[in-house]
Amino acid sequence: MRIITYIILSCFMAACSQNRSGGELEQALKLSGENRNALEAVLDHYKHDSLKYRAACFLIKNMPYHYSQEDYYLSPEGEKYRPDICKFKNKEELGMHCDSLTRCGYLEKHDMIYDVLSVDSSFLIKNIDLAFMAWEKPWARDVPFDVFCTYILPYRVQTEQISSLREEMMKRFLPLLDSAGVKTPLEACVALNEHLKSVVRYQDTGLPFYPTIEETYRSGISRCDGICNLGTYIMRAVGIPVAVD
């Protein structure tokens, strides 16, 4: 299987002013329910930093369209359980384990966790700050702000569960690009894409659930969605603007 990563050259994003009344931002805040205080805390945190404030606006106003697909087994006692794929030798062994769960009365459950209702302020602030750090790298600093917001800043790729590995990805993969002396997003993309061949490979895990970033990263195997999500997540973490096609 071949993963093709596209460098996005252009996009459009409406500017976000600090007036929260009306428009997509206020609509997102209205939909956030009890999570509104957390989202407004992020806006307040950046009220003296206009660029990061605009980045926070971009993420928040787009939250109503995004969610995590949480897949798990529910035990007869009502407890959530998701098998750790790293503990099984192959997909057959994991498949047998899943079959045994079904025979014991476990039910497959699939929940949608909407970002606007669940993302907390500390996570969002850390994600924004880390993204801006990556944007300062030589291959990223000329990326326009609107492209940065759309293809580097986001904390998720598709409908995977939200991951907190961005900082870990930066610590692991930024030195690789620094030592390679890359100067453009394309050069960085090519260098990192070649390295990622040794990080993850295509293989059916045997788990009948949508893969998480953590599962794919720790196990080093996944199907197409898992590989694309991990590769995109890593590249964005180090300041490479990419999207999944």
Side-chain angles (χ1 to χ4, degrees):
M1 180 186 132
R2 189 159 61 104
I3 301 300
I4 301 176
T5 308
Y6 293 87
I7 302 297
I8 306 302
L9 298 178
S10 64
C11 71
F12 174 83
M13 182 193 73
C16 177
S17 71
Q18 293 203 26
N19 180 3
R20 301 179 195 174
S21 61
E24 295 174 285
L25 180 61
E26 178 57 29
Q27 181 64 22
L29 292 173
K30 286 181 179 178
L31 292 172
S32 63
E34 295 181 358
N35 200 42
R36 180 167 184 147
N37 287 341
L39 299 183
E40 289 189 326
V42 177
L43 298 174
D44 290 338
H45 180 79
Y46 292 121
K47 62 184 177 182
H48 298 304
D49 188 327
S50 62
L51 206 55
K52 287 187 176 180
Y53 183 91
R54 287 171 61 195
C57 286
F58 177 87
L59 291 178
I60 293 172
K61 74 181 184 180
N62 282 286
M63 279 185 181
Y65 309 108
H66 297 284
Y67 63 91
S68 296
Q69 182 174 321
E70 184 183 19
D71 301 326
Y72 57 92
Y73 286 102
L74 187 68
S75 75
E77 295 76 31
E79 298 178 349
K80 292 183 179 181
Y81 169 66
R82 185 177 175 111
D84 182 352
I85 63 176
C86 294
K87 295 182 178 180
F88 298 87
K89 296 178 181 178
N90 49 50
K91 67 176 184 179
E92 289 78 18
E93 186 175 295
L94 180 52
M96 293 174 60
H97 175 68
C98 293
D99 290 342
S100 69
L101 293 174
T102 302
R103 291 194 297 270
C104 292
Y106 283 70
L107 301 175
E108 287 189 26
K109 304 294 287 186
H110 312 279
D111 296 336
M112 296 170 63
I113 310 299
Y114 284 93
D115 293 4
V116 74
L117 299 174
S118 59
V119 174
D120 64 55
S121 58
S122 59
F123 170 84
L124 205 57
I125 289 170
K126 184 173 184 179
N127 179 83
I128 293 170
D129 288 344
L130 290 174
F132 270 78
M133 289 173 58
W135 195 23
E136 296 173 357
K137 303 304 291 185
W139 57 87
R141 61 171 63 117
D142 291 331
V143 172
F145 180 70
D146 55 350
V147 178
F148 162 80
C149 284
T150 309
Y151 300 109
I152 294 177
L153 176 66
Y155 51 82
R156 70 156 63 258
V157 181
Q158 297 192 70
T159 60
E160 77 282 358
Q161 292 183 44
I162 291 176
S163 173
S164 298
L165 290 179
R166 187 165 197 146
E167 186 173 18
E168 181 174 334
M169 301 303 189
M170 291 176 68
K171 290 179 179 178
R172 177 175 177 180
F173 297 105
L174 277 176
L176 173 72
L177 298 180
D178 287 334
S179 63
V182 297
K183 301 298 183 183
T184 68
L186 180 57
E187 291 176 353
C189 177
V190 171
L192 184 53
N193 195 53
E194 185 64 27
H195 179 74
L196 290 179
K197 294 177 183 178
S198 64
V199 175
V200 63
R201 70 182 189 280
Y202 179 85
Q203 181 176 314
D204 188 355
T205 65
L207 189 66
F209 296 147
Y210 193 81
T212 70
I213 294 291
E214 281 77 4
E215 282 176 343
T216 304
Y217 181 56
R218 303 301 182 195
S219 68
I221 60 173
S222 190
R223 291 169 292 182
C224 290
D225 280 343
I227 293 176
C228 288
N229 290 348
L230 177 64
T232 301
Y233 187 88
I234 292 174
M235 289 196 179
R236 289 177 174 175
V238 297
I240 303 173
V242 297
V244 175
D245 183 359

